[in-house]
Amino acid sequence: MIEWADLFTDRQLVALSTFSDLLGEVRSVVETDAKMAGLVDDGVRLRDGGSGVVAYADAVVTYLAFVVDKCADYWSTICSWHNGRELIRNTFGRQAIPMVWDYTEANPFSTSSGNWMGQVTWVRKAVAAAPGRGGGEVLQRDAVARIREVASPVVCTDPPYYDNISYADLSDFFYVWLRRNVGDVWPEETATLLSPKVEELIANPYRAGSKQAAKEHFEDGMIDVLSEVAASQDSQFPATIFYAYKQQETKEGDRTSTGWETFLQGLVDAGLQVTATWPIRTELSNRPVARGTAALASSIVIACRPKRPDASLATRREFLDALQAEMADRVRVMQRDAIVPVDMAQSAIGPGMEVFSRFAKVVEADGSETRVRTAIGLINETLREVLSSEDTELDADTRWALTWYEQHRHDAAPFGDADTLSKAKNTSVAGVERADIIENVAGKVRILTRDELEPEWDPVADPRRTDWKLAQYLILFLAESEEKAGNLLRKVGGGLGDRARRLAWLLHQIADRKEWSSDAAAYNGLVQSWHDIQSHAQVGPPAEQTFEGM
């Protein structure tokens, strides 16, 4: 595949080209209708601030050009079939063009997914949902130049994620159609044959010539932008920066990501201080990257202000003391406010960076400056300590199962090891077996999987009810419906339910660290659905009718 045209069949190209060519004819109809509606025929284009016949036609043609772009997204050989929903999945189910073995082709004139009028409807809904008052100005500029052009700017931005997405390359998929369809309406925005790429602030080794050159391009550019923000941002308001990048790389046991580290280091080096952070639910759970995985559900909004001129130095010990003093309360708030486990490590970096960035510098014992990578490692370690401290309220059988799960998952291991662990947890292997948590056969002990549990369970009648079993059954019942999980929660009450929820947090932490993705997704899903389960638990069954005495 050398050209964009290679992504389409001849039939798809004919359809797209035909609808594209018809925009000129539609424009004539729109102008005629606008004149009949009484709009002024002043000949002023929309880009020049017009509001008459010509400007109105420019606007309608622009919206229809968006429709053609959406059709391109649904009319390519990269489109696949969505088995669960019986419809066509678009080309960009993720920020990449994937390989597909079998593609699905839409009928533009049908009433099924991917048809022309369906895309018109989506654009119409987007326009209807947009604010209908006020005004704005959009310019295609380098970020540093744009900030300098504005007096006392208030900056809100979602920066590039290092080397994760090649935005400019991917945007050409849509740009080539936009240029064809609205080049005369927006000549400045479509002046280049393809989208500009040289100055794009991403770490692209193919474009930069090497991995090191790409890294330097991103780092230098990020510091330039953030330094300009620190120097120019209106002092009455913080700059707000969105970020959603999961920690995924492992270095000597610590999890971080080059994207996060580079961005945060640039923020600190630019003289900015993190003053507040909020996780905000921004990601669709049904996007392909999220199906069956523990993908991020939230973006982190970081509020920044220039660092105080009187900020003091701190030793590594002073930074750790402040971190440990403040992190526990912040984590509890995030748990209470339904931040799901998969987002916690990312969300906790915010409060940790608030502490780290308030100091002028954090200094190591040898006098060197503590870098952001080290700070992130310390923040992650503190988060693990805070979350791990939650197992003290769990029952003894569950505490045994939690440790055994971390060591062996569902694999069999020697009875002697299980017996030794049981003494440390103040229980016994026989007791854990009576609790229906394990199988003990031929000197080997193994934690039962959820599929091996009895399909129904009455916690009230269970003589050895455990937090472990409650969490597993809540996940089992949740797979059937939130209502069934809610009925179980109502039976056990809020206190035991909350212990099961906290156990799910601990189990997710283990599964995520061990890269047991299916387990991590299950425990994350329980916490993510907790508010809905609670809402079902609060609605009791209908009162039984009685006919006695009638």
Side-chain angles (χ1 to χ4, degrees):
M1 293 182 175
I2 306 301
E3 299 177 343
W4 290 113
D6 296 331
L7 299 178
F8 305 90
T9 65
D10 290 345
R11 178 167 50 214
Q12 289 170 332
L13 285 174
V14 167
L16 286 166
S17 298
T18 300
F19 279 101
S20 177
D21 291 341
L22 287 170
L23 293 189
E25 295 183 27
V26 170
R27 182 183 188 92
S28 299
V29 177
V30 172
E31 289 181 348
T32 299
D33 289 348
K35 291 174 184 176
M36 293 177 62
L39 290 185
V40 178
D41 189 6
D42 55 10
V44 181
R45 304 301 295 259
L46 181 60
R47 64 176 180 268
D48 298 322
S51 59
V53 170
V54 175
Y56 178 72
D58 283 345
V60 174
V61 168
T62 299
Y63 292 141
L64 289 173
F66 295 161
V67 175
V68 173
D69 267 21
K70 281 191 66 66
C71 287
D73 194 24
Y74 278 89
W75 298 354
S76 83
T77 58
I78 308 299
C79 295
S80 56
W81 185 245
H82 194 309
N83 289 326
R85 297 179 60 195
E86 295 290 307
L87 47 76
I88 294 173
R89 183 179 288 116
N90 60 321
T91 302
F92 286 96
R94 66 187 71 214
Q95 297 102 328
I97 298 177
M99 179 183 291
V100 294
W101 301 108
D102 297 295
Y103 68 90
T104 308
E105 190 167 355
N107 181 345
F109 305 105
S110 69
T111 56
S112 60
S113 65
N115 72 84
W116 166 264
M117 285 308 301
Q119 310 317 308
V120 172
T121 299
W122 277 112
V123 173
R124 178 185 60 78
K125 287 180 177 179
V127 174
R133 58 186 181 277
E137 182 183 26
V138 179
L139 298 175
Q140 188 171 306
R141 290 278 195 281
D142 173 85
V144 173
R146 185 59 185 146
I147 294 171
R148 288 173 179 166
E149 291 173 355
V150 179
S152 300
V154 176
V155 177
C156 177
T157 185
D158 186 354
Y161 297 165
Y162 197 67
D163 60 351
N164 195 34
I165 303 168
S166 294
Y167 301 92
D169 289 321
L170 294 176
S171 67
D172 280 340
F173 179 92
F174 299 104
Y175 177 81
V176 292
W177 291 105
L178 280 175
R179 188 172 188 274
R180 187 176 196 268
N181 294 329
V182 293
D184 64 324
V185 180
W186 306 104
E188 287 189 21
E189 289 74 12
T190 59
T192 55
L193 289 175
L194 295 172
S195 63
K197 297 178 178 64
V198 174
E199 298 302 319
E200 184 184 20
L201 193 53
I202 62 169
N204 187 324
Y206 307 103
R207 198 179 298 162
S210 69
K211 190 172 182 179
Q212 181 61 30
K215 180 176 182 289
E216 292 172 0
H217 171 73
F218 182 84
E219 290 177 348
D220 294 345
M222 186 60 72
I223 290 175
D224 285 346
V225 174
L226 294 175
S227 297
E228 196 63 41
V229 171
S232 306
Q233 171 79 13
D234 191 314
S235 60
Q236 299 180 79
F237 306 99
T240 50
I241 302 168
F242 286 71
Y243 218 75
Y245 202 117
K246 189 175 182 179
Q247 299 183 69
Q248 56 190 11
E249 296 173 4
T250 303
K251 183 176 181 180
E252 298 177 356
D254 289 332
R255 304 191 75 189
T256 183
S257 77
T258 304
W260 246 130
E261 177 198 343
T262 305
F263 163 69
L264 291 171
Q265 189 66 61
L267 187 148
V268 171
D269 291 345
L272 288 169
Q273 174 185 345
V274 177
T275 58
T277 54
W278 301 275
I280 294 182
R281 182 61 52 85
T282 57
E283 309 302 318
L284 291 173
S285 60
N286 64 348
R287 66 200 194 278
V289 70
R291 287 193 302 275
T293 68
L296 285 178
S298 302
S299 293
I300 310 303
V301 182
I302 303 173
C304 306
R305 293 182 184 272
K307 191 171 292 187
R308 294 171 57 93
D310 59 349
S312 61
L313 292 172
T315 64
R316 178 174 174 144
R317 181 71 262 167
E318 287 173 323
F319 166 56
L320 266 175
D321 289 344
L323 196 61
Q324 291 167 348
E326 299 179 31
M327 184 69 84
D329 288 342
R330 297 294 293 274
V331 170
R332 301 287 180 269
V333 170
M334 287 190 285
Q335 287 180 315
R336 185 195 66 204
D337 292 344
I339 299 303
V340 293
V342 69
D343 289 341
M344 180 55 80
Q346 194 79 342
S347 302
I349 288 180
M353 286 302 298
E354 285 183 45
V355 176
F356 181 74
S357 64
R358 85 170 55 129
F359 300 111
K361 284 183 182 179
V362 176
V363 182
E364 298 288 340
D366 61 1
S368 63
E369 181 181 351
T370 302
R371 303 294 288 173
V372 164
R373 174 176 280 271
T374 302
I376 291 176
L378 296 172
I379 292 166
N380 287 334
E381 183 179 330
T382 303
L383 174 63
R384 284 194 293 270
E385 291 173 1
V386 170
L387 293 177
S388 297
S389 67
E390 295 191 338
D391 70 351
T392 55
E393 295 183 20
L394 302 174
D395 62 82
D397 293 342
T398 295
R399 284 187 279 113
W400 179 93
L402 186 66
T403 303
W404 191 259
Y405 171 78
E406 182 171 13
Q407 294 172 352
H408 306 290
R409 200 181 184 186
H410 296 287
D411 297 331
F415 172 86
D417 294 348
D419 187 51
T420 300
L421 178 63
S422 69
K423 292 178 173 60
K425 299 297 183 182
N426 196 29
T427 184
S428 66
V429 175
V432 180
E433 187 176 9
R434 285 197 301 273
D436 299 324
I437 292 175
I438 62 170
E439 176 187 71
N440 179 15
V441 177
K444 296 286 187 179
V445 173
R446 179 180 65 85
I447 289 181
L448 297 172
T449 65
R450 281 186 292 277
D451 294 338
E452 295 175 295
L453 298 175
E454 292 294 327
E456 298 294 336
W457 175 55
D458 183 0
V460 178
D462 190 339
R464 198 166 180 124
R465 181 179 54 245
T466 62
D467 302 323
W468 178 274
K469 196 151 61 170
L470 175 56
Q472 306 308 322
Y473 272 102
L474 280 168
I475 293 172
L476 271 178
F477 290 177
L478 179 62
E480 296 184 41
S481 71
E482 291 173 346
E483 182 179 5
K484 187 170 182 179
N487 290 339
L488 176 58
L489 181 59
R490 183 169 61 249
K491 277 187 178 182
V492 301
L496 289 174
D498 190 60
R499 277 165 41 177
R501 180 182 65 86
R502 279 181 281 161
L503 173 61
W505 271 97
L506 296 173
L507 288 167
H508 175 273
Q509 184 185 11
I510 293 169
D512 187 53
R513 188 170 65 251
K514 298 279 191 176
E515 297 185 354
W516 300 335
S517 58
S518 60
D519 289 10
Y523 295 121
N524 183 72
L526 178 60
V527 178
Q528 187 171 357
S529 302
W530 195 254
H531 282 335
D532 294 327
I533 294 172
Q534 280 184 315
S535 67
H536 285 288
Q538 292 166 3
V539 180
E544 294 184 7
Q545 293 183 346
T546 177
F547 296 94
E548 294 179 8
M550 293 182 64

